[in-house]
Amino acid sequence: MLAPFLSDLFSNQQYDSNNFFLIAGPCVVESEELVMEVADKVYGICRNLGIPYVFKASYRKANRTSANSFTGLGDDTGLHLLKKVGEHYKLPVTSDVHAHDEAAVAAEYIDILQIPAFLCRQTDLLLAAADTGKIVNVKKGQFLSGPSMQFAAEKIRKAGNDKVMLTERGTTFGYQDLVVDYRNIPWMKEHNAPVIMDCTHSLQQPNQTSGVTGGNPQLIETIAKAAIATGADGLFIETHPNPAVAKSDGANMLKLDLLEGLLEKLVRLRKAI
């Protein structure tokens, strides 16, 4: 059963209330054509499967490995395109914010403010996001345990905002890999917040000497199935029509054509458990 604030968020969609919800889209706003293509395809799939859907794309990528990496089309353009997607398909949209002074601006265009994992302890950012009154989705730092995420949730709630979600996205394993500890899903659910599994960023291989993050997208299905089996409320999946030419995180995104088959399996698994 969805939390009340999520039921309100998905009020324009018809869905199975016993399903998981999905946050999906390309890593970054590359063009209007891309965001519209992905939103159209994913929305159609989710509507047919009864999955509540949030469109995701970053209007700006502030935490790239290399200074030469693509960061976006500009904040104003990126935010306007996100709002256009939401209005056209009547979907909630989300994007990440990286500094406290971005929160109020972004909140005028998006429905969920996403706090990047590296910044999950940044108090001024969490408080600024809370002050917008929007849903705040905090990604668990790669350096933190699930139980320690209670403090991030508490900061937001003490600021007067109870609309908190927490996302598992893997834990640092050596210098260039991540591992998922699925104990974190039930542990974070103890904080009385919906818990999401980031099925793509948890497969990153960061800190490559090339300056481009690697990944293991062939394991997205494995990560997603295990997340459903361990009680995740939602899934986060970055997807792109052609990850090989994506301008950010192509190494760990799911090819768009593979999404429907994966979601069909996950819906069956959810019903089975």
Side-chain angles (χ1 to χ4, degrees), residues 28 107 163 264:
V28 65
K163 294 179 286 188
E264 288 173 346

Side-chain angles (χ1 to χ4, degrees), residues 129-264:
D131 286 344
T132 67
K134 294 295 181 80
I135 298 171
V136 183
N137 177 25
V138 189
K139 288 196 168 185
K140 182 185 73 66
Q142 301 92 323
F143 44 86
L144 292 177
S145 68
S148 65
M149 286 297 289
Q150 67 176 306
F151 303 109
E154 284 176 0
K155 289 176 183 179
I156 295 167
R157 288 176 174 141
K158 286 182 178 179
N161 187 339
D162 291 326
K163 294 179 286 188
V164 185
M165 304 194 298
L166 301 174
T167 295
E168 165 63 30
R169 54 97 73 231
T171 301
T172 299
F173 188 71
Y175 287 110
Q176 295 175 321
D177 208 355
L178 298 169
V179 65
V180 177
D181 181 352
Y182 284 95
R183 296 177 299 176
N184 284 325
I185 291 177
W187 278 340
M188 288 197 292
K189 289 182 72 137
E190 292 177 1
H191 307 325
N192 297 313
V195 174
I196 302 155
M197 181 71 227
D198 184 336
C199 302
T200 44
H201 288 101
S202 59
L203 290 167
Q204 284 182 330
Q205 293 180 311
N207 306 318
Q208 301 296 312
T209 55
S210 65
V212 178
T213 297
N216 288 295
Q218 70 276 10
L219 293 174
I220 291 172
E221 181 173 326
T222 301
I223 295 290
K225 285 178 175 177
I228 294 298
T230 49
D233 300 290
L235 299 178
F236 178 108
I237 299 175
E238 287 191 337
T239 183
H240 193 285
N242 185 0
V245 300
K247 295 183 178 181
S248 177
D249 278 359
N252 53 270
M253 276 198 280
L254 181 71
K255 195 171 190 299
L256 185 57
D257 288 346
L258 301 177
L259 182 64
E260 184 171 14
L262 173 60
L263 292 177
E264 288 173 346

Side-chain angles (χ1 to χ4, degrees), residues 73-170:
L73 300 172
D75 292 1
D76 189 60
T77 300
L79 285 167
H80 275 89
L81 286 175
L82 287 173
K83 187 173 184 178
K84 185 173 183 177
V85 168
E87 291 177 343
H88 183 79
Y89 293 100
K90 295 182 172 55
L91 289 172
V93 296
T94 185
S95 186
D96 33 15
V97 293
H98 301 86
H100 70 278
D101 55 356
E102 294 176 30
V105 175
E108 296 180 14
Y109 298 87
I110 63 178
D111 303 283
I112 302 173
L113 301 182
Q114 179 177 287
I115 308 300
F118 290 119
L119 300 174
C120 68
R121 294 180 62 185
Q122 199 72 17
T123 301
D124 61 345
L125 175 57
L126 292 172
L127 296 182
D131 286 344
T132 67
K134 294 295 181 80
I135 298 171
V136 183
N137 177 25
V138 189
K139 288 196 168 185
K140 182 185 73 66
Q142 301 92 323
F143 44 86
L144 292 177
S145 68
S148 65
M149 286 297 289
Q150 67 176 306
F151 303 109
E154 284 176 0
K155 289 176 183 179
I156 295 167
R157 288 176 174 141
K158 286 182 178 179
N161 187 339
D162 291 326
K163 294 179 286 188
V164 185
M165 304 194 298
L166 301 174
T167 295
E168 165 63 30
R169 54 97 73 231

